[in-house]
Amino acid sequence: MSTGSSSSMASHIVGYPRMGPKRELKFALESFWDGKSSAEDLKKVSADLRASIWKQMSDVGIKYIPSNTFAYYDQVLDTTAMLGAVPPRYGWSGGEIGFDVYFSMARGNASVPAMEMTKWFDTNYHYIVPELGPEVNFSYSSHKAVEEYKEAKALGVDTVPILVGPVSYLLLSKPAKGVEKSFPLLSLLPKILAVYKEVISELKAAGASWIQFDEPVLVKDLESHQLQAFTEAYAELESTLSGLNVVVETYFADLTPEAYKTLVSLKGVTGFGFDLVRGTNTLDLIKAGFPSGKYLFAGVVDGRNIWANDLAASLALLQGLESIVGKDKLVVSTSCSLLHTAVDLVNETKLDDEIKSWLAFAAQKVVEVNALAKALSGQKDEAFFSANAAALASRKSSPRVNNENVQKLAAGLKGSDHRRATNVSSRLDAQQKKLNLPVLPTTTIGSFPQTVELRRVRREFKANKISEEEYVKAIKEEISKVVKLQEELDIDVLVHGEPERNDMVEYFGEQLSGFAFTVNGWVQSYGSRCVKPPIIYGDVSRPKPMTVFWSSTAQSMTSRPMKGMLTGPVTILNWSFVRNDQPRHETCYQIALAIKDEVEDLEKAGINVIQIDEAALREGLPLRKSEHGFYLKWAVHSFRITNVGVQDTTQIHTHMCYSNFNDIIHSIIDMDADVITIENSRSDEKLLSVFREGVKYGAGIGPGVYDIHSPRIPPTEEIADRIRKMLAVLESNVLWVNPDCGLKTRKYGEVNPALSNMVAAAKQLRQELASAK
């Protein structure tokens, strides 16, 4: 195997998808977790995938090929393992951290819960949040970074090992339970740097010539003492880094002038990486002053979307940068890790040729990076550039992209804030008269377990192996089973379980115009969980009802309220690959109008409770506070558009998960939903702190009472305890009892007892409330 290009063509990939082109790692992980395969089997699948990726990049001609990007769960958890920062509850007694401890931290086990999981910046990827405090004894406890480097080297590929930077690691952490919330995490810097020095020394001894530190926290709004921590950290590492080339990589947004100055002044650092797709203002900082003799890793190929690069525009930008930093110091790179995009367009057999010509997945982006590097060095592939220009022109002029009627409807939204006419308190009164729910009503978030049989039915229907009649019969039977189960459990507001849906966004996108779909365009969300984001290529509208048949069918099976289940416009937007030829908010308003049509049709069909999930609203919040206001204004407005036309007696729910909501609580209130269910259990109930601080929330609210992302079954008393904590800060007449999220990833053997315990806890608290009167 070759070792990549050794010429002046400088090309670099920040990171690469790890699940494999056909989700090989996902299936290997799940087989291992289910006890069907061994640790050695899992390691072999991952080693084969790594070898394939390194060979692919090497064959293309990439000079700086990454290693240690291949996490079994996520790269922050890998760093926690490297540092030996295992919370005491996992019973780790030292030594090299194995799969048992690693996956217990990520997923929990039968006796202890998992660590908190939250979104990775403003992406749909997640990471396990480190729990730190003054008592943590850091020690070098996972040699994965060195092992992967050696593994690649044995295959003939010299890679750039990637480490999560020490300052970003600490600033992405939280104080452990029992540690003061005000504990200064950066005070742990000297302790973790001692471990980083060991890792660096081993990498150097193994023959590494470059190391990459990912410090994405630099793009956030940082205080002066936080910026100072970067200066101190790299000054401390300088002597250990001596003899190595070091690149510090940033991504996802612009840097402030202060952060930029701090970054380019770091000691012991050879080069600096910037996202020049989402961080276009950083260009001005580079033009105003870039340190002489340093490398600039220019992230011009978008690592977060699937559109083909405008090669001519990128080349012009790079040529401008070349005049600033020098020909031999400019490296063509991706804007961030390609982890956030699909793997390979070659695997797409059902996309039509026109749309396919507009796209580039991870494998194609590697080729784009190399083509740009070759063009810079005077070896421009004219045919490749011409084909790219033709594809861009085709997309711009295609009649499939523009729908004049949709554009007029969206333009007509201006001038109204689309609020329901009656306040939430009056609406809740009207709804209670109609629904007659008990205090602390119980519900679930939407999905029920997706069994092997259910997946088979959907797969065979899509492949035309069973008739529509057979498919409808099978789905109705599944709905009937889920409805009966909920009635037996005595849940108050039911769901139909979403058996007809593989994915909450994909399902709606398939029925909306302006969307395209892939066969293998999978992207990792967390652990083994992968999603297949739709591609929004044109104006969006709803040709016909999407969920009314299934919701009406489910409601006909029970006298209890049945929730209609929809995905909200902001979440559809944030969980799709979005067109980049118009502002995101314009696309979002188009989706909102389509969902509005569906909401009104559900109401006409007799569905009195409609849930419009906005799981990803917080996720899309820009990383810089100066941009929050505009985003929240159009995102919240989009949600209100969907349900502005319903009657007071129709109860509108929404759901949000796995993010820090406290800083946007006023925007959540401004959404004006009747009930919100929201993640709470895995984050140590930090959501409740906002209510302890005096925020008044008059609508219904269901902070999750147990974590569905863990197989652990919470006991009744544990759930009852959680409800008591909620009642200390929320009125009993607005509190709902529900899990954190949908149940599709769980098994019925876990779901049934967990929901049974949840209902029992709610009934126990109802009795306590009644006897306290």
Side-chain angles (χ1 to χ4, degrees), residues 433-446:
K433 283 173 187 167
K434 188 165 191 173
L435 299 173
N436 194 27
L437 298 172
V439 68
L440 306 180
T442 53
T443 191
T444 65
I445 303 307

Side-chain angles (χ1 to χ4, degrees), residues 696-740:
K696 297 297 178 194
Y697 193 76
I701 183 166
V705 295
Y706 78 90
D707 174 24
I708 65 87
H709 289 90
S710 169
R712 180 175 172 270
I713 297 160
T716 300
E717 194 48 46
E718 181 183 305
I719 296 175
D721 235 12
R722 281 218 164 96
I723 299 170
R724 288 187 194 102
K725 287 179 183 175
M726 295 171 190
L727 286 168
V729 292
L730 293 163
E731 297 293 330
S732 60
N733 65 330
V734 300
L735 186 61
W736 284 63
V737 177
N738 47 263
D740 263 347

Side-chain angles (χ1 to χ4, degrees), residues 35-287:
K36 295 175 182 174
S37 61
S38 68
E40 292 311 308
D41 294 331
L42 176 57
K43 288 176 182 176
K44 183 179 186 313
V45 169
S46 59
D48 288 348
L49 285 170
R50 284 194 294 274
S52 170
I53 291 164
W54 290 327
K55 181 180 188 307
Q56 175 194 347
M57 290 194 215
S58 180
D59 289 351
V60 166
I62 299 298
K63 185 173 184 179
Y64 301 109
I65 296 171
S67 62
N68 197 39
T69 64
F70 201 95
Y72 286 104
Y73 216 85
D74 75 73
Q75 68 273 29
V76 179
L77 185 61
D78 281 4
T79 310
T80 294
M82 182 186 85
L83 296 170
V86 180
R89 66 180 177 275
Y90 299 107
W92 176 65
S93 54
E96 189 79 2
I97 289 173
F99 282 158
D100 53 345
V101 173
Y102 182 88
F103 288 128
S104 289
M105 290 192 286
R107 306 177 72 237
N109 57 43
S111 56
V112 290
M115 295 165 70
E116 180 187 352
M117 180 169 72
T118 196
K119 293 288 170 81
W120 177 247
F121 293 80
D122 59 346
T123 74
N124 187 30
Y125 183 63
H126 299 68
Y127 73 97
I128 301 296
V129 182
E131 302 172 11
L132 305 178
E135 305 304 315
V136 178
N137 293 312
F138 296 99
S139 62
Y140 187 12
S141 304
S142 169
H143 293 66
K144 176 177 168 293
V146 179
E147 288 164 1
E148 269 196 32
Y149 174 78
K150 289 178 176 177
E151 185 183 318
K153 196 172 183 184
L155 294 170
V157 183
D158 189 23
T159 59
V160 180
I162 298 178
L163 301 173
V164 174
V167 183
S168 285
Y169 177 78
L170 291 177
L171 292 178
L172 291 167
S173 303
K174 70 173 186 178
K177 209 164 189 175
V179 175
E180 285 292 324
K181 297 296 179 195
S182 58
F183 174 73
L185 292 162
L186 288 174
S187 67
L188 299 172
L189 196 54
K191 291 183 179 180
I192 72 166
L193 288 178
V195 179
Y196 272 88
K197 286 178 183 179
E198 290 185 70
V199 180
I200 293 163
S201 297
E202 276 200 16
L203 285 168
K204 202 192 296 190
S209 56
W210 278 86
I211 291 183
Q212 177 177 315
F213 290 100
D214 281 5
E215 293 282 13
V217 164
L218 274 165
V219 304
K220 299 184 94 171
D221 295 306
L222 299 178
E223 297 173 17
S224 57
H225 76 279
Q226 294 170 321
L227 290 172
Q228 181 61 26
F230 286 94
T231 303
E232 292 169 3
Y234 287 88
E236 178 64 26
L237 292 175
E238 184 180 15
S239 60
T240 312
L241 291 169
S242 177
L244 283 168
N245 290 297
V246 177
V247 56
V248 176
E249 187 70 45
T250 66
Y251 36 77
F252 298 152
D254 286 305
L255 274 72
T256 63
E258 295 78 16
Y260 177 80
K261 184 179 177 184
T262 298
L263 173 62
V264 298
S265 304
L266 293 179
K267 292 185 175 177
V269 177
T270 320
F272 310 99
F274 302 99
D275 181 338
L276 299 181
V277 176
R278 288 181 174 238
T280 49
N281 293 337
T282 302
L283 274 172
D284 295 332
L285 298 173
I286 294 168
K287 289 171 183 173

